[in-house]
């Protein structure tokens, strides 16, 4: 079984809505599905999606809670665990991690649970280049 994937919020939105993603990311998603590797989303993404809709930055065809539940219910998808230890770890990431608290929680989740993070966020990708995180650009 391959390395599990954690989709960041934007990756989850793009994948769910069929938006263009990189060839590498598409190949990794296909491979994960074929090998049965978990593809997860964070509960923090549920909060972030709600905020994006509330701010008018994202439009969904249904209420954010129903949209998130539908995404999490797709075959091969799951909701990543978010323990108090992971939340605390997000405050003590090595190196110079991004300052955004949601990004830090996603990074800590990926590190603690062995996920490869799929993102377009340049700061998270730069952090991955330092070796503290496994990531793939989407």
């Amino acid at each position: 079984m391959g390395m599990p994937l954690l989709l960041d919020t934007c990756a989850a939105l793009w994948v769910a809505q069929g938006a263009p993603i990189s060839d590498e990311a598409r190949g990794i998603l296909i491979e994960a599905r074929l090998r049965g590797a978990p593809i997860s989303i964070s509960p923090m993404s549920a909060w972030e999606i709600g905020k994006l809709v509330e701010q008018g930055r994202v439009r969904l065809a249904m209420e954010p809670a129903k949209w998130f539940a539908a995404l999490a219910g797709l075959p091969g998808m799951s909701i990543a665990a978010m323990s108090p230890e992971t939340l605390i770890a997000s405050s003590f990431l090595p190196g110079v991690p991004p300052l955004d608290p949601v990004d830090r929680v996603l990074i800590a989740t990926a590190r603690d649970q062995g996920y490869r993070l799929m993102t377009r966020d340049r700061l998270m990708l730069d952090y991955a280049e330092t070796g503290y995180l496994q990531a793939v650009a989407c």
Side-chain angles (χ1 to χ4, degrees), residues 7-57:
L7 304 180
D8 85 345
T9 305
C10 288
L13 284 163
W14 290 317
V15 168
Q17 296 177 348
I21 60 172
S22 73
D23 290 340
E24 180 185 15
R26 185 175 6 278
I28 288 170
L29 281 169
I30 291 168
E31 182 181 340
R33 287 184 186 131
L34 291 174
R35 292 182 183 221
I39 302 171
S40 298
I41 49 177
S42 171
M44 290 302 296
S45 291
W47 175 83
E48 198 166 29
I49 287 166
K51 289 302 292 178
L52 290 168
V53 170
E54 182 250 342
Q55 295 167 350
R57 294 176 56 201

Side-chain angles (χ1 to χ4, degrees), residues 7 16-17 19 26 29 36 40-41 44 47 49-50 59 63 66 72 84 89 91 94 102-103 123-124 130 134:
L7 304 180
Q17 296 177 348
R26 185 175 6 278
L29 281 169
S40 298
I41 49 177
M44 290 302 296
W47 175 83
I49 287 166
R59 296 177 69 139
E63 294 176 6
K66 289 181 180 177
S91 299
V102 174
D103 291 352
L123 294 176
M124 287 197 280
T130 67
Q134 292 283 323

